[in-house]
Structures are given as structure tokens and as C-alpha cells.
Amino acid sequence: MIVLDGVTVEYSDSVPLERVTLELEPGCTAVMGPSGSGKSTLLRIIAGQQKPTVGAVAIDGVAVAAASWRSSGDPRVALIHQDYRLVPFLTVEQNLLLAAELREVNRSAVDVDDALDRVGLPSAMRSRLPRTMSGGEQQRVAIARALMTGAPVVLADEPTGALDEGNTERITEVLVDLGRKERLVIVVATHDPGVARRMDRCLRLIDGKLAPAG
Amino acid sequence: MSSRVSGPRLAWAFVRHRQSQTFTLFLLGFVLASMTLGLAAVRSSAEHAIVDSLRADLGGRAYALQTGNPAAITTLRGLSDVFGVQDEQGQLTADGLTGPVVVRAIGQPSLELGLLTDGTQPRQVGDVLLSELTAKSLSIALGDPVRIRAGDLATEGRVVGFSVDSADEYASTAVVLVDGHSAQFRPTRWLSDTDFYQQQGLRLPLDRRVATYQSVDVLLEAAAQNRPQFLSALRFVPAGAGILLGILFLAACTVFARGWKTDVDALLAAGMAPARAWSRILRIVTGIALCGQIAGAVAACLLVWLFRSPVSGWLDQHWTGIAIPWREPVLLIALTIVVSRLAIPATRLVQRLTKRTTASSARHRLLPAIMVAAGAVGVALWIVGIRHMLQPNGDSDHAAILAPIGALAVAAAIPYVVAPLLSLGTPAASGALVRYLANSLRPIASVTAVVVVATSTWAATTTYDANAGEAASSPLQPAGSFVISEIPDTAVAGLRRLYADHGGTQVVTFQIPDETAARLRVTSPALVTCMAQKKGLSPDQLPDSCYPRDAAAPINIVMLGAPGSPQRADPHLLSQGKVGLMLFTGADGTASRLADTNAAADPMLGGNVPGLVVAPDSNVAREFKLRPGGTSEVVLVDFTELTPQAQFLVRSGVLRLAPGATTADGTDPTAYDRLRSVANTVGFLGAAAALLFVLLGGGALVVAHSVTRQSLIDLGSRSGPRRRLASRWIALLVISSAAALALAILTAAGAGRRTGPSYGILWLLPGSFAVAAAFVVAVAFLRVPPTARE
């Protein structure tokens, strides 16, 4: 379980998050809100990639490890970006294995096939380079990469923002399955009400403050 | 190969993915190393050839002595480890064909002269080691009989070996072994591994300077200094090529860094820490550059070695091998590694600054005001400094240093003053865009302006000081001449022939008097009067006002001219047709007698040349017992009219003919030349630094403004308005650099106080390079940016 306790993020000219207190259980949670409302900041705070000005974040009672020049952040969290950020010069299989290696998780080719299968991609794609794949396929590889790390928390920042309707449906399906069947903590920042409706829970951020979803 | 993706497989995948970048970096590394090392190898090989040539000519011995003194020669003949060499211009005849050669007669077979290329060294009387060129010209083969004639020496022998002179492709020499006890063998120089001064019998002639000697190390140093013109010109070329190509290499890396940032972001998304991701990418890039450099270095050395004959031929030399310089490649590789290691903290710093820029916009709003205030203080300091430069007595005091300090502050502030003015007269939205773009350019323009002011002021001031100092002082010797002092009288004829063979026509000789008992010196009559009035006979105790101001040598030596010739003196020592004379008999520096004598002015005299020349049969010579001491001073008056190669060969010849002589070259770098060299170097370094700042900083901004540039195109902006926008943006750099140049020359000139001597032109380089680089950045700004997607 993720616990945010009175988290505030303050810049000299804005306050993207203000006194946010929140508990996130295993399952799927959507975070909605207009641009600049603090959705991405919230995800970065949970991933340990940004320190709150005030407050604390913990996963299962243990404070989130902060990212630094020499550390990539908390290993219990995997982050999925809108622009996929697959390593362009590695194949799908290498992208997946690299993520596991960097978290020091033992994974094999069978695990790669399994991860691809879980996101609905054929194992024949394992030797493809990212640039030869469609946006939807690349995003599913990015989710598979998150699964390879074995992280219990998966954060997705606008994962369907650049995808068409069909691919949005597929990606949403994969994320919902991971939350419901595999009991991972899935947090999805999205503008898409359709995606949010499929989630177990929906939070709304307005001017950095948390409001119940309407 | 490791199965781990994060190991070498990652590096290999990166190289395949970034093929064009890999090729470009490899190629740049290759060109950088091959140019730098290739040129350095040519320079190094040519320098080694000169040293090898001299070493071979001295038979590898440690000391060389010359004398015409009969007592010294008798002592030398009695020493066991001393080898005599007789050098003469002569002729060699074989099978009816005759050619001119320098004949080197030796008396012992254990003395091996020259670089042997075929056959053996002379072992028996009559054996001849002949230079390859002569052998080829006269169709002589090993074992052929030859006849040699040089002065009184006439001998017949057999060619047993061929040699080359690595420093002179056209050298024509014949080393012949003769009977060391024959009357015909009269050595002109002696070689030994033992210090001649350790020989009891030689101390007196050496002390009396009727015999002179040098260690071979000193001669080798002189030979190393005696670079032909092309070698002097080549001296800084490898470093210059390295700097220019290094800038190109860094510029390429800056452009490629945008792609690497994308790769690093992807690695971060995969869970890699920033330090590790950047380190990995930079290590791969460094590896590619080093591979290119190593390949380039090997290729350059191989090419120079393979083509050593034509390359050394272009330089009129004859290399038997090449000398690989180790300093340049080691420096290049070390610099590459250091720069790549520095790139990681620099990247971190940039990331921190980027974050801080977002967080401290308020502080950034204050910065222009602070800079403008600093500029105002700078103007005040500059005015105070200039006022102190303009002291009525013409001497500036310590407060004059405030002028350059103030100029630096003003230079730093110029972009912050100019930036708001760039948007004047533009529509509101365009004005906002110009201000936005100019704000990011201000720090780069500021640093560039500071570099321009610092280096241009330094270059201009130093050049001015050198030119002014040189104009105010008299020359040390006739312009364009070469002076050889303490050459044995016996070697003077050989030197005249050598000089004439290379096209020289004007030779003046003065005999140096024997100064064993007393030393006669010439000075101005005023100084002699001062000494008489002060009752003190040591010139050291006299005030500066007693000394003649314009003379290069206020107290100079007296030498002997031709019998019956009139007395001539340094014009700067003459007063009403007279010069003063001082006789020193002791070692305490006190004159034992003062006198004066009439003399005619001779502009050639003074400085390194004697201050007074008298005939051996003159009253002065008789009165002060001036007698020839066995050595002379020779002035080769039209030396610089010889070709550079002939000048080099004459200097080399002097080292061989008269190893104990001291030389002074009218073309040698004087202190003023060195000052000008420093100024020129500062000018070039300033230009390179300004170029680097503008290209790298401006290039980085062009990349950083990709979205803005793309947006301008997406908005349908025509090329005209975009060009005007880029012009206004880049005008900040152009105006700042031009203003900095004006400020620099105004400061160097003391706001017009200093006139007359030239400031040179190299002070213009830093600002000019900055302006030129600014236009390159403007062109880059106007290019359509690539899409963000890889």
C-alpha cells in the first residue's frame, strides 16, 4: 500500500501539490485533472524521482527511496512514460532484460516471452527494434518492461496520450488486468475519461489539491 | 561477449544504432591524430636528423676543441685519447671524373665520422668513406680507386663505404684515413671524450683563449636551436592543427549530445542511474574517438616512414629512419580522456543549473541589474585608470591597472545593456521573442566579450611595448648579419669559402687581441670624464647618467683591423670625434688607466661587434700593446640575403669548422621578438577561445531553441522575418564582440596617449573570430530543426 502523508511541492512561483494525503491499495487508480494540476508531479513523488517540499511517501510502511545522480529511484516502482522511452538501439528482448538486470532481478528468455504474452504481444517481436513498431506496440513493450522488473507498483503517465482508440483500449485492458488479476498497485495519470472509467478508483487533482472524482 | 545486456552488448548496439555518429567521431579522431602526429613526426624526424648529423660529424665524441696555437697543438698531439680532424674544401677524382668535396682527413681508424649506409668505415690508410650523392654523381662503386686533393693534402685511396648526411641531402664529403704522423696532416679541430680543461698542458691556452672548446652537448643544443626556417614554422603547426580539430571535435560532440540525451533518458526509464547512463554513453563515445586517434596515429607514422625519402627530400634532408614523437600522442589521448571524464561533472552541473534556473527566476531578474551596475563601476574604474596612464611625465603609476580591470567589467556588462535595445522598433510579439532569445545568449556574449578584451588588450599592449622598446634601442649588430666570435684564425679562410659557396659576398674580419695581460675597452668620453671626476675607477660605481644612453654596448671591446686602416668606432660612443679608453689589468674590475683617441664613426660597429677597431700598427695598438691572440671575429654582413636553406647550412658549417666559437645571429629571436611571439600566441589563443565559446555556446542554444525554431516554421513564418529575427538575436554577439575590440584597443592605447609604434594586427583576431562564429550560429539557427522523434 502506498501512503502519501501531507505532501506539498512548492516552487518559487507555483504550488503543484498542496497537502495531499492519500492511500493507494493494490488495483487500478486513475488520476485525472487539467494540465498543470499536478498529476505528473504526483507520480514523480511516488516514484522517488522528486522530493516533496513537505510531507512523506511510503510504500508498505517503508519510505520511498529518492532518485539521485547515482540512483535511479525506488526499485519497488516502475514508471511508464507517454513517449515510451524504450532504448532505441536495443531490441525488445534486450530492452526487457536490461530493465531486469538494472534491478538485479533474474530473468530469462522465457520470462521475456511471458511478459510479452501478458501485454498481448507475440514472442516473434522480441528481436524487433523499437523504431520498427507502432506506438501502441511500443507502449505495450514499455509495460512489459515494467513487469520484468517485478515492481509491485506501476505508475503510468499518460500512457495512451499518443495512441489511437484501438491501442488505447488494448493498453487500458492490459493495465486493468495487471491491477485486478495480479494485484499490483497501478496508478494511471490520464486525461481520457474513458480510461479513467475502466479503473477501480478515480482521483481528481485541481490546482494541486485532491478532490473526490465527480 | 557477456550475455548481460548492460555490458559490451549495450556498447555494440549503441555503435550500430549511431552508425553515422560513430563514423564521424572515428573520422574526426583519425584526422585529429593523423594531422597532429604526422606533422609532429615530420618535425621530430627533421630535428633528429640535424642532431644525428652533428653527432656523426663529431664521431660521437663528447668534446670538440679548436686552436691554431702551436704549443697547444703540440700538447694535443701528445695526448692518447684525442682525435684530430682536418677539414678542407677539395676535389675527388675517379676514373677521369672530378667533383668538389669537403675532405675530412682523420689520423686514427677508431674515429668513425659520418652515417654509414653501405660498406665499412675506413680501417687502413687510404680508405675513403664517400657520401652517396658524390658516389652516384661520379659513378663510383665500393672498392673503386680515387684521388683526393685538398690544400696541401694529396692522397690516393680506395672507397670502402658510403655515407649520408641526414641534415643535408646534397652534402658531398669524403672521409679519408691518412697517416696521423705525416707532415701533411694538420688537424683544424680535435675530438675527445675527456674534458680538455682536465689536461694540464691545455689549461693555459684555454685560459688565454688561444684555444677554445665546447662540450658536444652544448653544440647539440646549438644544432637543435639552429632550425631551418621550415622547421621553425612547423614548430607550432601540430599544436595549432590539434586545437582547431579539437574544437571541431568538441563542436561535433555538442551537436551529437542531443541524441545522446535521448538515449540516456531511455536508459533512465529502463532503471539506470543518471551517473551510470551518462558514464556508459561517454565511455563508448570516448572509446570510438580513441580508436580513431590510435588508427590515425599509426597511419600517420606508417605513411611518414614509408615516404621518408621524398618527405625528407622536400626538406633537403636525408632520413634513414623517422623519429616518432611520443609527447603529442600521449598528450592527445590524455586530453581526450580528461575531457571525457570532465564531461560527466559538466553534464551534472548543467542539469543542476537547469533546475536552478527554473527555481530562481527571481534571482535571474536581478542579474541584468547587477551586471549593468558592475558595468557602471567598470566605466568609473576605466576612466580613473586612463587618467593615471595620462600622467604629465609620461610614466603611468600602479593605479593604471584599473583601466584594464574596468574594461573587463564593462565588457561583461555590454550584452546586458545591449540586449533590451535589440527589440526596439519591433512589433510587441516579435520583440518579446527577441528578448527571450537574447536573454539566453547574454552569458555567452558576456564571457566572449571578456575574453576578447583580455586577450586583445594584452596582445596589443605587448606588441606595442616590444615595438616601442625595439625602436628606442640600438641594434646589437648590423641588420641581417651573422657574427661568429672567437673563431681560430686558421679556420677563417675555410669559413670564407663556405660562405662564398652558399652565395655570401660580404665578410668582415676583426682580430681579437691577446688579453692575457690586460683588457682594453672603449666607451664614451663622457663616461671616462665621470670616472676621472668621481676618483673611482670602477665603472660599476658610476651613476646611470654617466653612461651613453643609446649605445647597445656602453663599454665594448677593442679589436684589430687591417694594417694601415683608419680608426673606426661605434657612433653612439663618439663625442666630437673622440672615444674614451679604459685599460683593465686586474680582475677587480677597476680601470688602471684612462685615455681617449680619435676615430671615425662606423654604423656597423657596436653591440656584439667591437666598439673600436684600430690597425695593428696604430698608435693605440702600440701604446696599449694590442697583439693578435690567434682568434678572430667574423661578420657575415649579407647573411639574411642567403636562402633559408643556405643560412641553415652555413650555421651548421660554422658548428663543424669552429665548434668553440660563439655566434650571434641578426635573425635570432631577440627579447622583443619573444615579446611579440607571446603577444601573437595570446592573440591566437584568444581567437580560439572566443571561437570555442561562441560556437559551442551558440550551438547549444540553437539546439535548445529547437522547439521555438520549429514553431516559427509551423506558424508559417516566411524566411524574411525569420532572418530578421536571427539577425537581431545574433547582433548581441556581434555588437558585444565589436565593442569589446574597440574597448581593448582604446585601453591598450591609453585612450590615445600612446602613438607611433604599431600595435600589430593580431589583437583583432579574438573579436573577428567571435563575429565570424556568430554568423555561423545565425546560419545554424535558420536551419530547419530535425523532428524530436528519433
Side-chain angles (χ1 to χ4, degrees):
Chain A
M1 185 170 68
I2 303 171
V3 177
L4 281 84
D5 183 12
V7 169
T8 297
V9 175
E10 204 174 308
Y11 299 139
S12 61
D13 51 358
S14 64
V15 183
L17 281 184
E18 191 175 352
R19 291 195 299 275
V20 173
T21 298
L22 179 66
E23 288 184 2
L24 295 165
E25 301 282 352
C28 298
T29 303
V31 181
M32 292 193 74
S35 294
S37 60
K39 300 187 297 296
S40 297
T41 308
L42 179 69
L43 295 194
R44 283 202 301 274
I45 291 280
I46 296 172
Q49 294 189 348
Q50 188 174 346
K51 283 183 188 169
T53 314
V54 179
V57 185
I59 300 173
D60 296 334
V62 179
V64 166
S68 67
W69 178 249
R70 299 200 175 278
S71 162
S72 57
D74 199 300
R76 295 168 295 176
V77 182
L79 190 57
I80 297 165
H81 300 268
Q82 182 182 353
D83 56 359
Y84 332 126
R85 297 204 192 168
L86 297 175
V87 181
F89 48 87
L90 297 182
T91 61
V92 167
E93 181 182 17
Q94 287 170 333
N95 262 288
L96 266 55
L97 288 174
L98 176 68
E101 279 175 24
L102 294 171
R103 308 271 176 136
E104 295 179 340
V105 178
N106 271 332
R107 298 288 189 202
S108 64
V110 177
D111 297 318
V112 172
D113 287 343
D114 180 49
L116 290 177
D117 184 49
R118 284 159 73 187
V119 297
L121 287 175
S123 61
M125 278 199 167
R126 57 195 299 166
S127 56
R128 299 265 294 269
L129 283 169
R131 67 169 178 271
T132 64
M133 303 166 78
S134 71
E137 288 169 338
Q138 288 191 56
Q139 192 60 288
R140 278 190 274 170
V141 173
I143 297 171
R145 181 173 67 177
L147 295 177
M148 284 288 280
T149 63
V153 177
V154 176
L155 309 176
D157 191 0
E158 303 275 8
T160 58
L163 302 180
D164 60 23
E165 200 176 331
N167 275 312
T168 297
E169 178 61 30
R170 265 184 228 111
I171 295 297
T172 309
E173 192 67 39
V174 169
L175 291 170
V176 167
D177 274 359
L178 291 173
R180 288 184 186 153
K181 292 180 183 167
E182 304 194 19
R183 300 309 293 161
L184 301 179
V185 180
I186 307 287
V187 184
V188 180
T190 181
H191 281 295
D192 188 338
V195 173
R197 267 198 297 277
R198 301 280 307 277
M199 303 288 144
D200 301 331
R201 187 182 176 195
C202 185
L203 305 173
R204 184 168 288 277
L205 276 172
I206 300 170
D207 293 337
K209 291 175 186 165
L210 205 55
Chain B
M1 186 180 279
S2 165
S3 63
R4 286 176 63 81
V5 177
S6 54
R9 286 168 73 187
L10 184 85
W12 180 237
F14 177 85
V15 167
R16 280 194 310 172
H17 174 65
R18 300 273 178 202
Q19 277 177 12
S20 58
Q21 287 191 8
T22 301
F23 177 73
T24 308
L25 289 174
F26 183 89
L27 192 67
L28 280 171
F30 184 93
V31 174
L32 176 64
S34 56
M35 288 288 286
T36 310
L37 193 63
L39 290 166
V42 170
R43 188 203 62 207
S44 173
S45 301
E47 286 175 351
H48 271 80
I50 294 169
V51 171
D52 288 347
S53 163
L54 182 68
R55 206 184 278 279
D57 205 60
L58 297 172
R61 295 304 188 274
Y63 297 93
L65 179 144
Q66 58 179 30
T67 184
N69 183 272
I73 291 171
T74 306
T75 307
L76 285 162
R77 282 186 184 275
L79 297 173
S80 59
D81 58 341
V82 172
F83 305 88
V85 180
Q86 180 180 349
D87 286 332
E88 290 266 11
Q89 290 285 129
Q91 288 183 325
L92 181 138
T93 307
D95 202 18
L97 293 171
T98 299
V101 287
V102 174
V103 178
R104 298 214 162 113
I106 55 173
Q108 293 116 306
S110 52
L111 180 66
E112 297 183 346
L113 299 182
L115 289 169
L116 186 73
T117 55
D118 197 6
T120 63
Q121 286 279 351
R123 297 285 177 238
Q124 294 177 348
V125 171
D127 282 357
V128 176
L129 177 70
L130 192 60
S131 57
E132 277 185 3
L133 182 74
T134 314
K136 204 176 284 179
S137 305
L138 302 178
S139 305
I140 297 171
L142 287 176
D144 284 359
V146 291
R147 274 186 292 120
I148 292 171
R149 177 174 290 279
D152 296 338
L153 184 75
T155 184
E156 290 187 355
R158 188 171 296 277
V159 175
V160 294
F162 293 139
S163 66
V164 291
D165 184 341
S166 56
D168 183 3
E169 189 186 14
Y170 303 109
S172 180
T173 58
V175 178
V176 56
L177 181 60
V178 297
D179 179 2
H181 302 290
S182 74
Q184 283 184 323
F185 181 53
R186 287 193 293 273
T188 50
R189 57 192 171 117
W190 280 264
L191 309 170
S192 175
D193 279 331
T194 309
D195 187 345
F196 288 106
Y197 202 73
Q198 302 300 320
Q199 305 289 352
Q200 196 65 38
L202 288 174
R203 282 195 183 168
L204 185 63
L206 285 170
D207 285 341
R208 292 174 61 190
R209 302 196 69 76
V210 292
T212 52
Y213 84 111
Q214 295 276 16
S215 77
V216 171
D217 289 339
V218 172
L219 292 173
L220 288 174
E221 200 175 314
Q225 294 295 324
N226 174 27
R227 289 187 187 87
Q229 202 174 37
F230 70 86
L231 267 188
S232 298
L234 202 58
R235 201 172 170 196
F236 297 107
V237 171
I243 289 171
L244 282 178
L245 288 165
I247 289 171
L248 198 63
F249 187 82
L250 283 176
C253 287
T254 308
V255 172
F256 294 158
R258 187 187 168 205
W260 303 339
K261 171 81 169 60
T262 315
D263 296 338
V264 166
D265 283 344
L267 290 171
L268 297 185
M272 200 177 270
R276 194 174 167 194
W278 274 113
S279 168
R280 190 61 56 89
I281 296 291
L282 287 171
R283 219 178 289 168
I284 297 168
V285 170
T286 309
I288 294 165
L290 287 176
C291 286
Q293 288 177 5
I294 291 166
V298 170
C301 288
L302 203 62
L303 274 177
V304 175
W305 185 77
L306 282 173
F307 295 99
R308 64 188 182 280
S309 289
V311 172
S312 61
W314 293 331
L315 308 175
D316 291 336
Q317 295 189 337
H318 191 296
W319 303 343
T320 49
I322 66 164
I324 295 173
W326 294 108
R327 196 179 51 187
E328 280 81 1
V330 168
L331 199 66
L332 190 63
I333 288 171
L335 263 177
T336 306
I337 293 170
V338 167
V339 169
S340 74
R341 298 310 297 169
L342 285 177
I344 293 176
T347 307
R348 199 177 172 189
L349 189 69
V350 167
Q351 287 189 347
R352 278 185 182 171
L353 285 176
T354 312
K355 281 180 188 167
R356 201 173 292 172
T357 305
T358 322
S360 61
S361 53
R363 210 182 313 156
H364 273 241
R365 280 194 290 273
L366 271 179
L367 186 64
I370 295 169
M371 293 303 291
V372 171
V377 173
V379 169
L381 289 178
W382 190 82
I383 291 170
V384 172
I386 291 293
R387 279 175 62 87
H388 280 268
M389 275 186 187
L390 302 176
Q391 293 291 329
N393 59 5
D395 296 327
S396 56
D397 58 23
H398 292 303
I401 191 70
L402 292 175
I405 292 173
L408 289 176
V410 174
I414 289 170
Y416 290 86
V417 176
V418 173
L421 308 177
L422 295 174
S423 56
L424 289 179
T426 55
S430 298
L433 189 54
V434 169
R435 279 194 297 280
Y436 165 74
L437 291 172
N439 285 352
S440 54
L441 192 60
R442 285 180 311 196
I444 295 160
S446 186
V447 171
T448 307
V450 167
V451 168
V452 169
V453 164
T455 53
S456 291
T457 306
W458 187 326
T461 307
T462 310
T463 306
Y464 177 92
D465 289 347
N467 290 342
E470 195 173 51
S473 57
S474 61
L476 289 170
Q477 61 195 63
S481 67
F482 185 50
V483 179
I484 305 120
S485 195
E486 296 181 349
I487 179 170
D489 293 343
T490 50
V492 172
L495 177 61
R496 280 179 176 273
R497 269 200 303 274
L498 173 77
Y499 191 54
D501 285 348
H502 288 98
T505 55
Q506 298 176 50
V507 181
V508 179
T509 307
F510 309 109
Q511 284 187 301
I512 301 171
D514 182 351
E515 297 194 330
T516 313
R519 303 181 305 283
L520 183 66
R521 295 291 178 264
V522 60
T523 184
S524 65
L527 194 140
V528 169
T529 308
C530 265
M531 288 178 78
Q533 286 171 350
K534 299 279 177 185
K535 307 289 184 196
L537 295 178
S538 172
D540 296 343
Q541 295 165 356
L542 297 176
D544 288 347
S545 57
C546 289
Y547 281 82
R549 283 182 73 97
D550 298 332
I555 297 174
N556 205 343
I557 196 167
V558 179
M559 290 190 193
L560 299 166
S565 60
Q567 288 186 176
R568 294 166 289 141
D570 176 358
H572 298 103
L573 301 180
L574 276 169
S575 175
Q576 296 176 337
K578 283 181 181 295
V579 289
L581 293 171
M582 298 183 290
L583 188 70
F584 297 88
T585 49
D588 60 353
T590 306
S592 57
R593 188 180 160 194
L594 301 173
D596 60 32
T597 187
N598 293 319
D602 185 346
M604 186 185 168
L605 300 181
N608 288 329
V609 184
L612 175 68
V613 178
V614 300
D617 49 357
S618 65
N619 288 336
V620 172
R622 274 197 295 273
E623 199 177 335
F624 291 95
K625 297 188 175 60
L626 299 181
R627 293 188 197 88
T631 61
S632 292
E633 182 164 291
V634 178
V635 183
L636 307 179
V637 180
D638 53 351
F639 182 70
T640 53
E641 287 179 23
L642 270 57
T643 63
Q645 187 62 16
Q647 289 179 28
F648 161 69
L649 292 172
V650 169
R651 284 198 206 98
S652 304
V654 169
L655 284 175
R656 293 183 168 107
L657 278 171
T662 56
T663 60
D665 192 336
T667 57
D668 266 351
T670 63
Y672 300 117
D673 287 327
R674 277 191 286 275
L675 266 182
R676 276 188 287 267
S677 296
V678 169
N680 294 348
T681 307
V682 169
F684 278 114
L685 283 179
L691 190 78
L692 192 70
F693 281 129
V694 175
L695 280 185
L696 292 186
L701 283 182
V702 167
V703 173
H705 290 316
S706 293
V707 176
T708 308
R709 290 158 56 216
Q710 184 65 53
S711 302
L712 286 170
I713 291 164
D714 293 345
L715 285 167
S717 174
R718 294 193 310 274
S719 62
R722 282 202 303 126
R723 250 186 234 131
R724 281 195 290 278
L725 187 70
S727 305
R728 281 184 182 263
W729 181 54
I730 222 64
L732 184 67
L733 271 173
V734 175
I735 293 171
S736 304
S737 303
L741 264 187
L743 193 60
I745 194 62
L746 212 55
T747 308
R753 170 75 170 76
R754 296 164 164 181
T755 53
S758 163
Y759 293 90
I761 55 163
L762 290 185
W763 63 271
L764 284 162
L765 274 189
S768 309
F769 271 50
V771 170
F775 285 108
V776 174
V777 173
V779 170
F781 183 87
L782 288 170
R783 283 177 64 84
V784 177
T787 54
R789 287 286 299 275
E790 285 297 311

